[in-house]
Amino acid sequence: MANWVLGLTGGIGAGKTAVSDALAEKGICIVDADIIAREVVAPSTFGLNTIVDKFGKDILQDDGSLNRAKLRHIIFTNDDHKSWLNDLLHPIIRQATLTQLAQAKSTYVVLAAPLLFENKLEQLCNHTLLVDVSEETQITRTSQRDNVENEHVKRIIASQMSRHEKRQKADTILDNNGSLEKMYDNLNTLHQELIIKAQLT
């Protein structure tokens, strides 16, 4: 893989999408791990066909797409099923990710992944960027955006790698506690630095 890869991550409500959208507007190719995870189980894919072979057609919606809620229920109540699914999908997702990263034509390419460190995707990256906000900001923004209770957001945060651990692992931290304008200003500066890093590598 010849392209210079920036791993982009951030906890829920941190603003990772705002950063990836801004970089995309600058002409940077974005490879989104969440989108790939959905694509590899789209109708008629090897991934979905294998899941149907394992769990039966009841795992499908009426339109032939994967019933994610039903699959989540199955794997959360059975560790063997969860391991089987991970063993099936992780290699497919990894290969699709590598293919998209290699095909990118921009100065550098972004691998955007909420679970970048948890899934060890930083191993595919030359540099990692954490979009960081306080837990209070995460709770406020997410509860307002998704119209959910604060306690629900707290449970999601508790299920993710801690902010402290992510900060220790990241090569660069982009503070997004303030205004979007301030974050964009800092991102513009960082973008120029990343172009230089990519060109020098």
Side-chain angles (χ1 to χ4, degrees):
M1 189 173 64
N3 285 319
W4 197 90
V5 181
L6 173 70
L8 172 64
T9 193
I12 187 169
K16 177 179 63 66
T17 302
V19 171
S20 64
D21 287 349
L23 292 175
E25 287 180 8
K26 297 178 187 298
I28 298 301
C29 293
I30 309 294
V31 176
D32 191 312
D34 281 351
I35 292 174
I36 291 174
R38 290 195 292 271
E39 288 174 345
V40 300
V41 290
S44 301
T45 58
F46 170 77
L48 184 58
N49 291 342
T50 307
I51 291 170
V52 171
D53 287 344
K54 173 77 171 177
F55 298 116
K57 291 189 176 179
D58 284 347
I59 204 70
L60 297 176
Q61 307 263 30
D62 291 341
D63 63 359
S65 63
L66 178 64
N67 186 325
R68 294 175 179 280
K70 190 170 283 189
L71 181 61
R72 267 197 303 272
H73 177 73
I74 289 172
I75 66 172
F76 278 125
T77 55
N78 187 309
D79 286 343
D80 288 341
H81 287 336
K82 185 176 183 179
S83 295
W84 177 88
L85 188 68
N86 286 338
D87 289 345
L88 168 69
L89 294 182
H90 281 181
I92 302 173
I93 291 171
R94 185 182 181 87
Q95 187 53 55
T97 302
L98 288 169
T99 299
Q100 290 191 23
L101 290 173
Q103 290 172 345
K105 301 299 184 189
S106 49
T107 312
Y108 63 91
V109 54
V110 170
L111 172 56
L115 302 178
L116 186 82
F117 297 124
E118 290 90 331
N119 290 341
K120 297 182 170 49
L121 293 172
E122 78 273 18
Q123 295 171 2
L124 304 179
C125 305
N126 298 87
H127 195 88
T128 57
L129 172 62
L130 171 68
V131 185
D132 184 55
V133 296
S134 68
E135 187 170 312
E136 290 78 10
T137 301
Q138 283 184 278
I139 293 168
T140 302
R141 287 181 182 169
T142 306
S143 59
Q144 290 175 350
R145 181 191 70 193
D146 299 343
N147 195 27
V148 293
E149 297 291 331
N150 286 358
E151 289 305 316
H152 177 73
V153 184
K154 288 179 181 177
R155 285 196 296 273
I156 294 172
I157 293 171
S159 72
Q160 297 179 336
M161 182 182 288
S162 73
R163 179 187 175 203
H164 173 72
E165 195 171 352
K166 284 180 180 175
R167 287 178 64 90
Q168 286 190 315
K169 287 178 175 290
D171 295 316
T172 300
I173 297 170
L174 181 63
D175 187 295
N176 193 23
N177 281 295
S179 67
L180 270 177
E181 288 73 20
K182 183 178 180 183
M183 186 274 285
Y184 287 141
D185 284 344
N186 292 335
L187 182 61
N188 285 336
T189 302
L190 178 61
H191 171 61
Q192 297 304 321
E193 294 172 357
L194 293 170
I195 288 173
I196 294 170
K197 284 180 185 289
Q199 290 172 339
L200 291 175
T201 302

